[in-house]
Amino acid sequence: MKRLVVLAATIIMASVLGAQTAGNSTAERLDSYAEINTEVIKINDTYGSYHPKAKTVTLEIEHTPLTGEVRLYYTCLASSFDQGEAMNTAMAVYEDFAVKNKYKHYSYISKDKTSYKKDERGVRVATYVSHVVFKR
């Protein structure tokens, strides 16, 4: 009877210790994978026909390949900002991005947001942010 109790206690302790070490390493691997694969892509102004009012536009894409999430940042001078042009440019960028990365379609995660602020030179700029997820 004593041998059975000692054997059961040994098995329980071994399984608890094994579960603790396996859980920590899995969590660490997932955290490190998500951090490494977020990439920022700056796009040259190849979409000039979609925003004729804005002369200088900065487009940035944050892409997380693990989840397929993409955030697009469209920044230009506030005086030449047009919401419709920003939306059209974002849709064109998403279509090209889907073809390049072999995605079939995308859906919006949240509403698009526009914010106004002054940059380091004191010039007022508008930033349009769009957040989508791509599906294969």
Side-chain angles (χ1 to χ4, degrees), residues 7 14 39 50 56 59 71 85 97 99 117 119 128 134:
L7 180 64
E39 56 188 82
Y50 292 101
T56 57
L59 294 171
R71 284 187 195 266
E85 290 179 0
F97 186 82
V99 169
K117 64 181 179 181
D119 65 357
Y128 171 83
F134 282 89

Side-chain angles (χ1 to χ4, degrees), residues 67-83:
T67 59
E69 289 185 31
V70 172
R71 284 187 195 266
L72 178 117
Y73 297 95
Y74 174 101
T75 306
C76 70
L77 294 175
S79 60
S80 62
F81 177 75
D82 183 2
Q83 182 86 19

Side-chain angles (χ1 to χ4, degrees), residues 49-61:
S49 62
Y50 292 101
H51 49 83
K53 280 187 183 178
K55 300 293 185 239
T56 57
V57 174
T58 303
L59 294 171
E60 284 187 31
I61 292 179

Side-chain angles (χ1 to χ4, degrees), residues 8-24:
T10 306
I11 291 173
I12 290 172
M13 287 178 52
S15 64
V16 168
L17 290 175
Q20 286 180 351
T21 57
N24 290 341

Side-chain angles (χ1 to χ4, degrees), residues 6 17 27 33 36 81-82 91 99 109 113 117 131-132 134:
V6 171
L17 290 175
Y33 185 74
I36 292 171
F81 177 75
D82 183 2
M91 288 190 295
V99 169
I109 293 177
K113 297 174 186 163
K117 64 181 179 181
H131 189 197
V132 299
F134 282 89

